[in-house]
Every structure is written in structure tokens, then in C-alpha cells.
């Protein structure tokens, strides 16, 4: 014999979810509707803003792309992203490898402490909020005349270094040292092992 379980509705949670849905859907609806309206359809009344467009037009998108020089900006963003990711992988993984292996496997007591200090110094950069650095950074890059694509790439490399070094050196702790020792026995240099 099956026992029927009475399902109960948790009304406070349901009401909160519905309110959350409305606060997300309403601005999204306004964004889409306004984007497809012609400027002549935008009246000062609330019903003019909330109503659907009479004819769906993509001319606003074309105008926005023309005014903002979209394709040039997209090209810059792609270039900056690709160069930053490639350089981050190369530079930050090398730093993480050196710090991760040297702070735990150094035979000299003082050298291990030096690498631990360097690790904590680099990782402490995560605790500095970007809002504090933003204005001095803009002034300094302008004074150094690197307020261009090169400067942006350099800033990204520096800002993401603490997190990347933390991740790389933390990942190295999971790789057994026996693998590196076996590579060294087989004649691999430090670069080949890396």
C-alpha cells in the first residue's frame, strides 16, 4: 500500500523567488524593447516606454556599432586578451613553479624561508582592492607613456599574478616530487622538467 505524501508549498520562499524573477525579467524586458524601438517611438509617457515596438528595427544596433567603432574595439579586446593569456601562462607558471618547488624542497633552511616570503609577498597583492589602485595607476601609466595596449597588457599581467601564482604553486603541491626526480635521473634539465 502506497502512502501519499502531502506536498507543501513553501510560500515565503516562493514569493521571494517570484520577486527575484521580476527584478531580473523587468529590466531585461526594458532593455530589449528599448533597443528595438526607433527614437520617435520613445515618448515621455510610461506606456510609450513599456509598450512593444511597432516595427522591430536593428538600426539602433548598427548606429551604436558605428558610433562606438565597435569592430576596432573588438579587435583591441581580442588582441589584449590573447597576448595577456599567453604571457600569463608563460610568466606566471614559471614563477609558480619556482616558488612552489623551492619553498618546500630547498635543502637550505634560509633559502626556503626566502621563497616563502616571496610567495606571501606576491599573494598578498590579492588583498589590495582595485579601487584603491585605479587613480594612481592611470596617472602613473600616463606619466610613463604606456597608456596604450602595451600598458593594459602589462597591468593585466601584474594584477592577475597573485591569483595565478597561488593557483600554480598550489597545484604543484599535488604533483609528486618523485616525477621530477625521475626526470632528473633520465637527464632532463630544470627547463625540460618544467
Amino acid at each position: 500500500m502506497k502512502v501519499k505524501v502531502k506536498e507543501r508549498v513553501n510560500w515565503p520562499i516562493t514569493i521571494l523567488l517570484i520577486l527575484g524573477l521580476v527584478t531580473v525579467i523587468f529590466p531585461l524586458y526594458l532593455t530589449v524593447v528599448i533597443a528595438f524601438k526607433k527614437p520617435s517611438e520613445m515618448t515621455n509617457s510610461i506606456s510609450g516606454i513599456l509598450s512593444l515596438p511597432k516595427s522591430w528595427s536593428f538600426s539602433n544596433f548598427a548606429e551604436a556599432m558605428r558610433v562606438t567603432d565597435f569592430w576596432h574595439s573588438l579587435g583591441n579586446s581580442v588582441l589584449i586578451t590573447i597576448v595577456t593569456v599567453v604571457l600569463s601562462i608563460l610568466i606566471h607558471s614559471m614563477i609558480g613553479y619556482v616558488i612552489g618547488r623551492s619553498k618546500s624542497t630547498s635543502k637550505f633552511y634560509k633559502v626556503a624561508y626566502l621563497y616563502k616570503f616571496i610567495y606571501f609577498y606576491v599573494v598578498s597583492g590579492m588583498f589590495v582592492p582595485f579601487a584603491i589602485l585605479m587613480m594612481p595607476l592611470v596617472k602613473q601609466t600616463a606619466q610613463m607613456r604606456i597608456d596604450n595596449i602595451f600598458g593594459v597588457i602589462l597591468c593585466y599581467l601584474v594584477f592577475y599574478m597573485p591569483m595565478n601564482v597561488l593557483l600554480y604553486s598550489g597545484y604543484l603541491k599535488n604533483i609528486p616530487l618523485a616525477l621530477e626526480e625521475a626526470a632528473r635521473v633520465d637527464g632532463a634539465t630544470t627547463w625540460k622538467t618544467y
Side-chain angles (χ1 to χ4, degrees):
M1 181 171 142
K2 289 185 179 180
V3 178
K4 283 192 172 183
V5 178
K6 186 178 178 184
E7 294 182 23
R8 292 181 9 201
V9 176
N10 190 346
W11 285 110
I13 298 295
T14 305
I15 291 170
L16 280 174
L17 286 174
I18 290 171
L19 286 174
L21 180 69
V22 167
T23 58
V24 170
I25 294 290
F26 182 68
L28 185 62
Y29 167 78
L30 278 181
T31 303
V32 171
V33 166
I34 291 172
F36 284 103
K37 281 186 179 182
K38 292 180 180 173
S40 59
E41 294 181 61
M42 295 295 296
T43 61
N44 291 335
S45 68
I46 300 262
S47 61
I49 294 173
L50 295 177
S51 64
L52 290 173
K54 293 179 180 124
S55 64
W56 296 78
S57 171
F58 286 95
S59 61
N60 290 341
F61 294 99
E63 180 67 16
M65 289 172 76
R66 186 189 63 76
V67 168
T68 60
D69 197 9
F70 175 77
W71 296 111
H72 183 258
S73 301
L74 180 66
N76 285 343
S77 296
V78 169
L79 175 71
I80 289 169
T81 302
I82 290 172
V83 171
T84 302
V85 167
V86 168
L87 288 177
S88 289
I89 290 171
L90 291 174
I91 296 169
H92 298 160
S93 66
M94 280 192 260
I95 296 170
Y97 178 76
V98 169
I99 290 175
R101 282 302 183 217
S102 299
K103 76 177 181 171
S104 59
T105 62
S106 180
K107 293 175 179 49
F108 301 105
Y109 184 69
K110 291 184 179 179
V111 175
Y113 268 110
L114 175 68
Y115 281 107
K116 282 185 182 180
F117 172 76
I118 292 170
Y119 172 74
F120 287 128
Y121 180 76
V122 170
V123 170
S124 67
M126 288 192 306
F127 299 110
V128 180
F130 179 71
I132 291 175
L133 300 174
M134 189 169 48
M135 284 308 294
L137 183 69
V138 168
K139 288 181 181 179
Q140 193 169 15
T141 53
Q143 288 172 349
M144 296 170 68
R145 300 195 189 283
I146 56 169
D147 49 349
N148 50 24
I149 291 177
F150 170 74
V152 172
I153 291 170
L154 188 65
C155 287
Y156 281 154
L157 284 174
V158 171
F159 281 132
Y160 293 121
M161 187 187 341
M163 178 60 92
N164 290 340
V165 168
L166 175 79
L167 293 174
Y168 278 120
S169 60
Y171 178 72
L172 273 172
K173 289 179 184 175
N174 297 326
I175 298 174
L177 235 99
L179 288 175
E180 288 191 22
E181 291 168 356
R184 197 164 303 262
V185 167
D186 289 340
T189 62
T190 304
W191 281 104
K192 284 185 180 177
T193 306
Y194 160 73

